[in-house]
Amino acid sequence: MKNKEIKTILESQKVKFNIKGHTEYSKKDDGSWDYLPKIFHTNKYDDKPVGSISDKYGNGMNIDKFAPTSFTVFTFDLLGKKTRGRIKYEDVTLIL
């Protein structure tokens, strides 16, 4: 899937995805435990554009902007310090 297609889907839909290199220790379907790809999802409210991403535990980050090759996320810690990150579309795998 091309960057432009991934960008359009992430911007406009509530969708699950994973990011290359992000794993979590989790239970597999067969009952064993292993490191599996961490699943994120976008949060979309009513007709507004997607504004944040989060994992299954509710930990999330706000989306600052969608650029042509990546999107920028940010959050604030308890002391008000802003932390930013950039996620490349080529590292995103959509789960449709």
Side-chain angles (χ1 to χ4, degrees):
M1 193 174 279
K2 294 184 180 180
N3 286 351
K4 190 172 183 178
E5 294 168 328
I6 293 172
K7 176 182 183 269
T8 303
I9 292 170
L10 286 174
E11 280 181 315
S12 61
Q13 298 178 25
K14 185 170 184 171
V15 66
K16 291 183 179 183
F17 63 96
N18 58 31
I19 301 168
K20 180 180 172 183
H22 289 268
T23 60
E24 63 183 346
Y25 197 66
S26 189
K27 197 172 199 177
K28 296 165 96 176
D29 293 336
D30 65 3
S32 63
W33 290 81
D34 199 2
Y35 286 95
L36 301 173
K38 189 171 190 175
I39 305 297
F40 298 91
H41 62 87
T42 56
N43 298 309
K44 183 173 176 9
Y45 304 102
D46 300 326
D47 291 333
K48 297 178 183 177
V50 171
S52 64
I53 63 170
S54 55
D55 64 10
K56 67 181 177 183
Y57 302 110
N59 301 320
M61 295 186 87
N62 299 310
I63 296 175
D64 188 24
K65 66 179 178 179
F66 287 97
T69 59
S70 63
F71 61 102
T72 306
V73 293
F74 70 94
T75 191
F76 291 95
D77 67 10
L78 291 174
L79 300 175
K81 183 178 178 186
K82 189 174 186 178
T83 302
R84 292 187 188 126
R86 187 172 67 111
I87 302 167
K88 296 177 183 178
Y89 298 126
E90 64 191 41
D91 293 338
V92 172
T93 303
L94 298 176
I95 303 169
L96 303 173

